[in-house]
Amino acid sequence: MDTEGYILRTIDYKDTSKLLYVYTETGIQSMIARGVKKMQSPLRHLAQTSNRIMMDLSSGKLPTLKDATLIDHHPSVKQDLVRSTVLSVINELIYYNVSAEDDHPKLFGFLKKFIEVLKTTDHPMELLMVFELKFLFFAGYAVPLRHCHVCKSEEGLAFDVHEGALVCANHKNPNHHYYEAEIYRPLRYYYYVDVLNFEGLSVDKPTLKTLHEAVNHLHSMHMGHTSKAKKILNSLID
Ligand SMILES: [Zn+2]
């Protein structure tokens, strides 16, 4: 029982088994969980999405999950529609966007801290943007949110949607769409905050909606996959 993992996704496999896609400190590990759909299987309740487990695997490229123990099944998250949907968005983001070269120990550590905060925050929709913005940075797409990305000036700043970056008055393009301070300041906070110190900004609903539009736009610029869970979540803001 030596590998810690977090189950991103499960797929039914044959009559009684499941394929598990588990995030670990070495990346996404796929495995077969044999017989776990049987009522009497001891691993039945462990082989579920968003569970954190300790695993014992057979060797080979597609190993079998031989044994597992539960670390946390995050009941307070799973019982809440918004929190559980936020976690589904994150599961999809990791599943579809991490690659072999990424710094997995770093992301795995961040994921664990993030879920701890998700359990208790009163602002899960804002917290999601912390993950989404930091995930862009993790994937190699820096989002310049402190000063103009061209000249580093801090005068007359606005967030250029097309550039995905802050620009100063001198570097504004009249054909571009901009977000002003009431949008880029929260984005800056989400991007740079230590997640363990996160406190929601209690933004109003229209602002929250615009913030999500801005982050969604950044993700559509840089990430290949459009999240199904994110669509569900966006419908919850309306
Ligand atoms: Zn500038």
Side-chain angles (χ1 to χ4, degrees):
M1 210 76 74
D2 54 356
T3 309
E4 182 181 346
Y6 169 83
I7 304 175
L8 294 173
R9 191 174 196 206
T10 71
I11 296 178
D12 287 344
Y13 180 70
K14 298 188 177 165
D15 282 348
T16 60
S17 300
K18 282 183 178 179
L19 292 174
L20 307 185
Y21 298 87
V22 181
Y23 195 51
T24 73
E25 290 201 319
T26 56
I28 297 175
Q29 172 72 58
S30 48
M31 64 195 68
I32 302 177
R34 296 184 194 280
V36 291
K37 284 159 68 187
K38 291 181 189 161
M39 291 302 289
Q40 67 273 28
S41 167
L43 299 182
R44 181 177 154 85
H45 296 288
L46 269 69
Q48 311 276 350
T49 307
S50 304
N51 281 357
R52 192 148 66 89
I53 58 177
M54 290 300 286
M55 309 176 289
D56 195 2
L57 302 179
S58 68
S59 55
K61 206 163 163 83
L62 183 60
T64 296
L65 179 65
K66 292 196 296 190
D67 199 4
T69 55
L70 186 67
I71 301 172
D72 196 347
H73 66 298
H74 312 117
S76 61
V77 172
K78 288 182 185 175
Q79 285 157 16
D80 180 273
L81 177 61
V82 173
R83 285 184 176 80
S84 63
T85 311
V86 164
L87 202 50
S88 298
V89 172
I90 282 155
N91 294 347
E92 283 187 28
L93 261 183
I94 296 172
Y95 178 80
Y96 285 106
N97 293 292
V98 298
S99 61
E101 315 81 65
D102 289 332
D103 185 350
H104 298 294
K106 185 178 168 191
L107 183 61
F108 192 71
F110 178 71
L111 174 67
K112 288 197 279 185
K113 286 194 272 183
F114 178 89
I115 294 174
E116 287 308 306
V117 180
L118 181 61
K119 287 175 181 177
T120 56
T121 181
D122 292 326
H123 303 282
M125 294 288 239
E126 290 186 54
L127 182 65
L128 171 60
M129 291 186 277
V130 173
F131 192 98
E132 291 179 307
L133 288 167
K134 288 180 183 291
F135 190 79
L136 282 173
F137 181 79
F138 172 82
Y141 305 104
V143 186
L145 281 165
R146 288 211 200 275
H147 41 55
C148 172
H149 75 113
V150 182
C151 71
K152 300 202 153 91
S153 165
E154 293 177 18
E155 301 299 316
L157 292 174
F159 189 80
D160 184 323
V161 177
H162 298 269
E163 301 282 343
L166 276 184
V167 293
C168 71
N170 289 333
H171 291 109
K172 273 191 179 175
N173 179 327
N175 299 318
H176 287 186
H177 178 58
Y178 289 94
Y179 291 121
E180 301 302 329
E182 78 273 9
I183 298 303
Y184 74 69
R185 286 215 179 96
L187 292 180
R188 178 190 285 163
Y189 172 71
Y190 304 143
Y191 188 63
Y192 293 108
V193 69
D194 176 341
V195 71
L196 292 177
N197 297 330
F198 170 79
E199 290 181 44
L201 303 174
S202 300
V203 295
D204 61 26
K205 233 177 175 186
T207 304
L208 184 66
K209 219 180 153 184
T210 308
L211 287 166
H212 275 276
E213 278 166 16
V215 174
N216 290 348
H217 184 78
L218 288 169
H219 270 252
S220 66
M221 278 171 75
H222 298 305
M223 299 280 157
H225 173 255
T226 313
S227 165
K228 268 186 270 172
K230 188 75 204 253
K231 279 188 196 141
I232 296 167
L233 199 68
N234 288 336
S235 73
L236 294 175
I237 310 180
D238 286 327

